[in-house]
Amino acid sequence: MTTELESELPPAEIEPIKTLSKIWLVPIIAALIGGWMLYFHISNQGPQIQISFETGDGIEAGKTKIKIKNVEVGTVESLALSATDDGVVVTARIQNNSVHLLKSDTQFWVVRPKIGKGGVSGLSTLLSGAYIELAPGSSAQETDEFIGLENEPVTPAGTPGLHITLVGGSYKALDVGDSILFHGIEVGRIEYVHFNTQERVVYYNAFIDSPYDSLITTNTKFWEVSGVEVELSADGIRVQSGTIETMIAGGVTFDVPKDMVRGERVTEREFFNVFPNRDAIYENRFTHSMQLILLFKNSIRGLTPGAPVEYKGIRVGTVTRTDAEYDEITRILNQDSLIPVMISIEPARIGFSDDADALPIAMEELRKLLLKGLQGGLANGNLLTGSKYIELEYAENPVTELQTFSDYMVIPTFDSQFAQIVTQVSKLLDKVNKMPIENVVVSAEDSLKQMTETLKDFEKSSEALTILLQQAEQNQLIETVNSSLASIQQLTNDFSSGSPTHKELEKTLYTMKKTLAELEPLLTQLNQKPNSLIFNNGKKKDIEPKGSKP
Amino acid sequence: MIYIRRTIVSLLAATLIGCASEAQTTKFYSLDVGHQLHTATQRIKVAPKENTINIQVLPVEVASYLDNGGLVIQIGEHELVTANYHRWAQPLKESFTRLLIRELNFVSDNHKVHYEQSNHAYSADKPIELLIELEQFHATDQATVVARGRYILLNDSGQKIDESHFEVIEELSRDGYLHSVEQLKKAVTNLSRLISNDVARLLIN
């Protein structure tokens, strides 16, 4: 069989290929498509940038995204240590359509879960992973190398508003992120805190958002609003507190004092002092003052710098020094040594203007008042804390000549309230000692004896009177009872058997019985036959007894 | 029209005649008045003699059907009929008590016992008391009258000395309630003799 088949088929003719096989179209087309895709990808990918961070915590090459307002604009491609090994350099590629965001003041920071005084943030990154947030800048210059921030900037770059600097005291009272309030509304925040070691003062860089930046003027005063302020006055207790956020995190507020003009608007960074509270604004806003000295021979415990100097309850000055470091004082422990207290009196508080020209005029006026008897003394400010202040008042015996101490004019002093009380008590005790108390006691004893005897006699008389009254009451009671019994007896006799009333009653009852007896047949008849009064048919006669038949 | 008027008038007249009936009058009877059963010379002493026994007769207690005011007649063995037009002039218990006391005093005149009506007044020296309970006191359809009940004698301490039942029957010789009352009165007299003899037996002898 096989031989037959081989004889039927013609022999194959082998010819060499002259053209390319069509099968090669497939790989060629694939290569073209791949090449086009590569070109498209390369031509459309955005620029590569480098961002320096202190740490690469949370950043992963190929995974960590770069976002702006939660819109992805880039991806981290690689992560490497910096050349100086003190940080990391993140290489990222930004999308082509976001190249315009890469300005020289563009800010980058890593968003991670964070818990702070302002609350909890970045919780979404627990699931999705950390990402890098981009805040575009407003500079005209473009760049591809950036220094990343470790924390989210308090005020993103390009935010409209005003940058100012607040000058605090020697203690840090505010922190980055603390709110700046105006009438309870948050209008800004603290951006940066710096302690000047030379001046020993804390500086706070702050930012006021637009449009509230127009509220900042040359006369604007800032004060802290952390915590709760309690004021006890004749009107009662006044409690003032900030928001819960400021109570927890701290904050500062501002306003123009009521007695001052608004002033000119501040448009560039200016320096403003931060007062500890609102009242401090009014207390420390005068710039010119007179320095004077008071010399005390008693203890000044409880008096501290900053304590007020008052005249009839009105503040006229402030205690500035309570130490004894003066050249004139060499032996502080001497028995007759005096304790100096320096005070400052502002002319503006006593009717003069707050300028240098008013100082000598005010000083001369004060000198005249001191010669008229104006003196100063310690007064108790708070019984609970024991704090004291300086009280100015007129004495009956004014001094004839004023003294100076360490080139300062000395205000004559009077004893403190406690010392005055001690003096008065001593005088009172002296008077008591001089009183003839023994004679008085003897006289009092005699009087008491007489009074005791008189009381005993009175008691006897009272008992006799009581007995007499009781007897009288009893007699009266007996008479009343007898009278009542007689009445009852009379009544009983009237109704007793044999009396006319009784007989009349019996007669009446008998008549009633008789009448009822007569009515009984009729009633029986009506009971048996109600219509028998009209129809008397068939009325039966009584059955009568029959006698025996003979 | 005239005939109708006459017919109406006739009918009215007949109605009036029919409504008219002879009014039956009520007769009253008294137990303790009437012919004296005793001669005028036999006076009943009201005041007790010396050394006589005082017995106070308490008001007789009668059965309720006897106290309705009407005279009663027994028909058959159990039926009792109260007359409507034959009534006691006085309450039966009062007239019975008065009559009994009178008869007792008459009968016991020789037995040194004095009977009087109890006034229920408080007395330290409480006398002997006689209590009568009357169960039957009426006529019957057998031409008799019957007085039946019991009497109780109480000492001065209120304790029962004697208790006896009595039944006195008198025959009726004539018809009518009048003769019945006379015979009932006679029954009371016989009862008083019974009581008097009994008292004499207990207290005197």
Side-chain angles (χ1 to χ4, degrees):
Chain A
M1 294 296 287
T2 306
T3 306
E4 291 178 359
L5 282 172
E6 284 180 354
S7 63
E8 290 177 2
L9 291 172
E13 291 181 5
I14 301 172
E15 292 180 2
I17 298 172
K18 293 179 181 176
T19 58
L20 200 61
S21 173
K22 291 179 184 174
I23 195 65
W24 281 102
L25 285 175
V26 175
I28 290 170
I29 291 171
L32 286 173
I33 291 172
W36 178 84
M37 287 175 67
L38 181 63
Y39 169 78
F40 183 82
H41 175 70
I42 293 172
S43 65
N44 285 326
Q45 70 178 4
Q48 202 175 56
I49 61 171
Q50 288 186 336
I51 311 169
S52 300
F53 289 101
E54 288 184 7
T55 173
D57 185 19
I59 303 173
E60 291 185 47
K63 288 186 181 178
T64 302
K65 305 296 179 186
I66 298 176
K67 297 182 182 179
I68 173 172
K69 298 187 191 308
N70 215 27
V71 175
E72 186 179 329
V73 295
T75 309
V76 170
E77 290 184 342
S78 65
L79 186 67
L81 279 175
S82 63
T84 55
D85 295 334
D86 60 353
V88 296
V89 177
V90 173
T91 303
R93 191 169 294 278
I94 301 297
Q95 293 174 1
N96 231 359
N97 56 2
S98 303
V99 174
H100 65 282
L101 301 174
L102 301 175
K103 305 296 182 186
S104 60
D105 58 347
T106 296
Q107 294 170 320
F108 292 86
W109 66 91
V110 181
V111 177
R112 306 184 185 93
K114 185 179 174 184
I115 298 174
K117 285 188 295 185
V120 180
S121 61
L123 282 180
S124 62
T125 57
L126 285 173
L127 296 175
S128 61
Y131 64 92
I132 298 173
E133 180 76 19
L134 183 154
S138 57
S139 171
Q141 190 178 355
E142 294 183 355
T143 180
D144 59 357
E145 290 185 358
F146 302 90
I147 297 176
L149 304 173
E150 293 308 310
N151 296 307
E152 180 181 358
V154 178
T155 306
T159 304
L162 174 66
H163 290 272
I164 58 173
T165 299
L166 301 176
V167 182
S170 57
Y171 290 93
K172 174 173 170 282
L174 303 168
D175 208 346
V176 174
D178 286 351
S179 303
I180 297 178
L181 304 175
F182 179 74
H183 291 188
I185 303 170
E186 184 178 345
V187 299
R189 61 211 62 82
I190 304 295
E191 292 182 313
Y192 181 70
V193 180
H194 169 69
F195 181 77
N196 188 315
T197 55
Q198 291 183 349
E199 298 176 15
R200 302 176 75 86
V201 168
V202 182
Y203 288 92
Y204 306 96
N205 283 352
F207 182 79
I208 307 296
D209 294 323
S210 175
Y212 306 106
D213 55 342
S214 60
L215 299 170
I216 306 299
T217 66
T218 51
N219 286 335
T220 297
K221 305 293 180 187
F222 288 80
W223 66 92
E224 296 171 21
V225 286
S226 304
V228 177
E229 292 180 13
V230 178
E231 180 183 327
L232 183 63
S233 64
D235 294 331
I237 300 175
R238 184 174 67 91
V239 178
Q240 186 173 353
S241 67
T243 62
I244 293 179
E245 184 184 355
T246 59
M247 286 171 68
I248 297 172
V252 66
T253 188
F254 64 90
D255 205 346
V256 177
K258 292 177 186 174
D259 58 342
M260 293 179 72
V261 295
R262 200 175 287 275
E264 294 179 359
R265 178 178 173 178
V266 172
T267 55
E268 295 178 344
R269 183 181 291 274
E270 280 281 347
F271 287 79
F272 296 90
N273 291 330
V274 178
F275 295 92
N277 51 58
R278 180 195 288 265
D279 293 335
I281 297 173
Y282 296 95
E283 293 168 4
N284 299 320
R285 58 191 174 97
F286 298 110
T287 53
H288 296 85
S289 63
M290 304 175 290
Q291 310 303 314
L292 299 105
I293 292 281
L294 290 91
L295 297 172
F296 292 97
K297 56 183 177 182
N298 294 324
S299 171
I300 62 167
R301 182 181 174 82
L303 187 66
T304 56
V309 178
E310 295 181 0
Y311 174 71
K312 292 186 178 179
I314 304 297
R315 184 164 183 162
V316 296
T318 309
V319 174
T320 54
R321 286 180 59 181
T322 58
D323 60 274
E325 293 178 1
Y326 296 89
D327 295 335
E328 288 79 357
I329 296 177
T330 54
R331 296 286 184 272
I332 191 66
L333 293 179
N334 286 350
Q335 189 175 3
D336 56 351
S337 64
L338 301 172
I339 308 299
V341 173
M342 180 178 285
I343 66 171
S344 66
I345 295 178
E346 287 96 0
R349 293 186 186 270
I350 57 175
F352 296 90
S353 56
D354 187 25
D355 53 47
D357 295 335
L359 277 175
I361 303 171
M363 183 65 80
E364 183 57 29
E365 183 67 23
L366 186 60
R367 173 190 288 276
K368 291 177 184 175
L369 293 175
L370 292 175
L371 289 172
K372 285 183 180 178
L374 185 65
Q375 296 181 4
L378 282 175
N380 289 319
N382 190 316
L383 290 175
L384 291 176
T385 60
S387 62
K388 290 186 172 58
Y389 66 97
I390 301 293
E391 175 80 24
L392 297 177
E393 56 183 57
Y394 284 92
E396 291 179 355
N397 301 318
V399 296
T400 55
E401 190 179 345
L402 294 176
Q403 297 175 356
T404 59
F405 180 88
S406 188
D407 296 331
Y408 294 99
M409 189 160 62
V410 174
I411 297 177
T413 54
F414 54 85
D415 289 336
S416 65
Q417 291 175 350
F418 180 74
Q420 289 176 11
I421 291 170
V422 169
T423 305
Q424 288 178 0
V425 169
S426 296
K427 289 180 184 174
L428 183 65
L429 287 173
D430 290 336
K431 284 183 184 175
V432 169
N433 282 332
K434 289 176 186 172
M435 286 170 61
I437 295 176
E438 289 183 5
N439 296 336
V440 170
V441 168
V442 169
S443 299
E445 279 184 6
D446 293 337
S447 300
L448 278 172
K449 281 181 186 172
Q450 288 178 3
M451 274 184 68
T452 305
E453 289 175 4
T454 306
L455 281 172
K456 283 182 183 173
D457 293 337
F458 181 75
E459 196 175 341
K460 286 179 187 172
S461 302
S462 174
E463 285 177 1
L465 186 64
T466 304
I467 293 167
L468 193 64
L469 286 173
Q470 284 177 351
Q471 286 177 350
E473 284 177 2
Q474 283 178 356
N475 290 338
Q476 192 176 1
L477 180 64
I478 289 169
E479 281 181 15
T480 306
V481 169
N482 284 339
S483 174
S484 301
L485 283 174
S487 301
I488 292 169
Q489 184 67 37
Q490 179 67 32
L491 185 67
T492 309
N493 290 340
D494 287 342
F495 283 91
S496 63
S497 178
S499 64
T501 309
H502 188 263
K503 285 182 182 172
E504 191 65 31
L505 200 60
E506 277 188 346
K507 194 176 171 183
T508 305
L509 285 172
Y510 178 74
T511 307
M512 281 177 67
K513 273 169 132 175
K514 192 176 169 186
T515 306
L516 284 171
E518 289 174 0
L519 284 174
E520 197 165 345
L522 176 63
L523 293 172
T524 306
Q525 178 185 335
L526 288 174
N527 188 30
Q528 293 170 356
K529 203 166 186 178
N531 59 353
S532 58
L533 279 179
I534 302 173
F535 300 105
N536 196 16
N537 50 350
K539 188 166 59 177
K540 293 182 182 175
K541 286 188 176 178
D542 285 333
I543 300 172
E544 296 201 16
K546 303 288 183 188
S548 60
K549 294 179 181 175
Chain B
M1 190 66 185
I2 296 175
Y3 294 111
I4 294 172
R5 195 181 297 171
R6 285 180 185 172
T7 306
I8 291 170
V9 170
S10 303
L11 283 172
L12 282 173
T15 305
L16 283 171
I17 291 167
C19 291
S21 62
E22 185 181 347
Q24 191 162 359
T25 56
T26 303
K27 294 182 180 175
F28 294 92
Y29 304 88
S30 180
L31 193 60
D32 61 339
V33 296
H35 297 290
Q36 296 291 332
L37 295 179
H38 313 289
T39 59
T41 59
Q42 294 171 325
R43 294 182 298 167
I44 299 172
K45 293 193 184 295
V46 178
K49 290 180 181 174
E50 291 182 0
N51 300 324
T52 55
I53 299 172
N54 247 1
I55 297 179
Q56 289 208 340
V57 180
L58 297 171
V60 66
E61 294 178 4
V62 299
S64 57
Y65 72 95
L66 294 172
D67 206 16
N68 287 334
L71 274 66
V72 177
I73 181 168
Q74 182 176 349
I75 309 295
E77 288 190 4
H78 303 289
E79 186 178 354
L80 296 166
V81 178
T82 303
N84 291 321
Y85 300 101
H86 301 271
R87 306 184 66 79
W88 294 109
Q90 297 164 330
L92 178 61
K93 59 170 72 174
E94 290 177 14
S95 54
F96 184 94
T97 306
R98 274 200 302 273
L99 178 61
L100 182 66
I101 290 170
R102 196 168 63 201
E103 294 299 317
L104 281 170
N105 282 325
F106 177 77
V107 168
S108 66
D109 188 48
N110 296 326
H111 294 162
K112 299 185 172 75
V113 178
H114 176 72
Y115 295 89
E116 61 186 10
Q117 190 158 2
S118 171
N119 55 7
H120 296 286
Y122 173 77
S123 173
D125 183 19
K126 195 173 180 183
I128 300 170
E129 291 177 325
L130 175 65
L131 175 64
I132 312 289
E133 293 178 358
L134 199 58
E135 296 169 13
Q136 283 179 283
F137 195 72
H138 53 76
T140 67
D141 62 349
Q142 302 300 317
T144 58
V145 294
V146 60
R148 189 158 71 90
R150 69 171 181 167
Y151 59 88
I152 303 167
L153 213 58
L154 304 168
N155 64 5
D156 50 1
S157 303
Q159 293 175 337
K160 199 185 296 184
I161 303 174
D162 185 36
E163 180 182 340
S164 298
H165 291 265
F166 63 87
E167 187 178 17
V168 180
I169 299 176
E170 302 292 337
E171 287 191 359
L172 293 173
S173 57
R174 294 193 299 276
D175 296 346
Y177 277 105
L178 180 60
H179 182 59
S180 298
V181 171
E182 290 170 354
Q183 294 303 99
L184 285 171
K185 195 172 175 182
K186 194 176 176 183
V188 174
T189 305
N190 290 332
L191 174 62
S192 64
R193 287 201 185 96
L194 282 173
I195 295 172
S196 179
N197 291 336
D198 214 0
V199 167
R201 176 175 58 80
L202 289 170
L203 299 180
I204 299 175
N205 298 332

